[in-house]
Structures are given as structure tokens and as C-alpha cells.
């Protein structure tokens, strides 16, 4: 499933940052360093000043927070965190780097999946109508 960045996200992301973190500075202070639990951390990882200042910490931290909200069934909050992370990634990434584009797509698929789950919950639909991750190009892991 291919998800596209919507023009409406350009206005929505700053509003969500303000609502949840006050401002971009509040957001970056929330995730100031890479923690040992990051799955993409190398065994040879050394915490340096460059690593501490790395803006990737922000969207990686947001993605972890979104996963926590998702597991707790707070799908609206999860989707909002995924969208903020996607916006942050989009503003930082090299559009010619395939891995960056794939990571943005991954975040946007999570946005759509969590929105669908939130709608399902709000409408109190049957279990048969529940959206599954495979429908959004995600695994169920």
C-alpha cells in the first residue's frame, strides 16, 4: 500500500506538535538521546555529542511513543504521533534516498492504520470489520 503525504498534513503537523508538546523545542526535549532499547542501535554504538544532537532521535522517539499508544489502544494518539514523526522525517530526509522514502511510507501506513482502528472503535463495529495491519502493508508483529 502506497500512502501519500497530503497537503493538509503541512498545517496539521504543527498544530499537533503545539497540542501535544507546546512547540518543536518541547518535542525535541522529550527525546534527547538514543536509549539502549532502540532496535536499530549497533553493538558498537558510542554516545557522542553528535548522537545527542541528532534530530533522528526525535522521530525515532515519536515512533516508539506511537507504538506504546497503539498497544494501549489509544489509536487516535498513536496516529497523531506517527503523523508528527512522518512530518519530522519528511522535513529532515533526503528525498533521493530510498531508505528515507521507505521509512516515510512506513510511518504514513501507520497513520492510516491507526486512523482506521480509531474509526472502527468509535463506530463500535463488529470484530469482522476490524482493520488488520496487512491491509495497510504492515505486518502484525
Amino acid at each position: 500500500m502506497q500512502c501519500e503525504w497530503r497537503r493538509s498534513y503541512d498545517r496539521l503537523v504543527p498544530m499537533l506538535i503545539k497540542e501535544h508538546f507546546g512547540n518543536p523545542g518541547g518535542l525535541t526535549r522529550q527525546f534527547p538521546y538514543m536509549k539502549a532499547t532502540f532496535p536499530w542501535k549497533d553493538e558498537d554504538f558510542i554516545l557522542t555529542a553528535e548522537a545527542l544532537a541528532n534530530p533522528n532521535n526525535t522521530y525515532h522517539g515519536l515512533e516508539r511513543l506511537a507504538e506504546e499508544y497503539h498497544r494501549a489502544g489509544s489509536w487516535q494518539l498513536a496516529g497523531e504521533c506517527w503523523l508528527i514523526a512522518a512530518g519530522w522525517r519528511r522535513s529532515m530526509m533526503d528525498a533521493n534516498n530510498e531508505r528515507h522514502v521507505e521509512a516515510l511510507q512506513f510511518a504514513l501506513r501507520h497513520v492510516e492504520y491507526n486512523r482506521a482502528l480509531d474509526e472502527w472503535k468509535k463506530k463500535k463495529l463488529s470484530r469482522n470489520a476490524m482493520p488488520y495491519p496487512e491491509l495497510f502493508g504492515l505486518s502484525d508483529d
Side-chain angles (χ1 to χ4, degrees):
M1 174 183 200
Q2 192 76 355
C3 294
E4 297 296 322
W5 182 263
R6 301 176 189 176
R7 287 197 326 184
S8 62
Y9 293 166
D10 290 330
R11 285 196 320 253
L12 183 57
V13 168
M15 289 175 15
L16 290 172
I17 290 172
K18 184 175 183 178
E19 179 181 332
H20 294 293
F21 300 98
N23 58 43
L27 174 60
T28 57
R29 284 189 299 278
Q30 183 74 24
F31 309 105
Y33 55 89
M34 291 185 78
K35 296 183 179 174
T37 56
F38 274 28
W40 45 83
K41 178 179 128 346
D42 291 348
E43 288 181 23
D44 299 333
F45 180 77
I46 298 172
L47 190 61
T48 64
E50 293 81 19
L52 288 171
N54 187 343
N56 298 352
N57 295 332
T58 303
Y59 54 74
H60 289 162
L62 277 165
E63 290 165 348
R64 275 196 341 275
L65 182 61
E67 289 171 358
E68 289 175 24
Y69 283 137
H70 178 86
R71 283 191 298 276
S74 298
W75 296 311
Q76 179 180 346
L77 285 172
E80 290 174 355
C81 285
W82 276 111
L83 183 56
I84 295 169
W88 206 272
R89 275 187 179 280
R90 187 170 180 264
S91 69
M92 304 293 293
M93 75 181 212
D94 171 6
N96 297 318
N97 184 318
E98 190 174 312
R99 291 186 63 199
H100 289 185
V101 173
E102 287 172 5
L104 177 62
Q105 282 294 309
F106 180 76
L108 291 172
R109 285 193 298 270
H110 276 283
V111 170
E112 296 301 324
Y113 176 47
N114 279 281
R115 283 183 174 169
L117 284 168
D118 190 53
E119 273 302 302
W120 171 77
K121 182 171 94 174
K122 285 179 182 172
K123 292 181 179 179
K124 298 180 181 176
L125 300 173
S126 73
R127 179 102 172 135
N128 293 340
M130 182 179 187
Y132 288 95
E134 296 83 12
L135 298 172
F136 298 86
L138 302 167
S139 71
D140 62 354
D141 296 339

